[in-house]
Amino acid sequence: NAGELLLGTLGDKVRSDLTVLGDVVNVAARLEAVAKAMGEPVLVTEQARERLADPSVVEHVAHRELRGRDGVVGLYRPR
């Protein structure tokens, strides 16, 4: 997936954690589950495909609904 997110470190000198927040992160997590269910090692969304220098390096495999999202998302895999 592609888009804006928030990245930050939470905690103190003794214990800290890196975290990312945003809709793009949620979509990526959903996409990971869909890829696993489809037996694909990696999938990218239409939004990510549009950012590629050469979009022909991926091929369309499906349109799927992702939990928590309205509508369907175009899914692509590397050629």
Side-chain angles (χ1 to χ4, degrees), residues 8-26:
T9 305
L10 300 173
D12 57 26
K13 292 180 182 180
V14 177
R15 183 167 181 230
S16 65
D17 243 343
L18 184 66
T19 191
V20 288
L21 302 170
D23 184 59
V24 67
V25 178
N26 296 332

Side-chain angles (χ1 to χ4, degrees), residues 1 21-31 66-67 69:
N1 198 31
L21 302 170
D23 184 59
V24 67
V25 178
N26 296 332
V27 171
R30 305 294 189 257
L31 191 59
L66 299 179
R67 193 179 79 206
R69 305 284 299 174

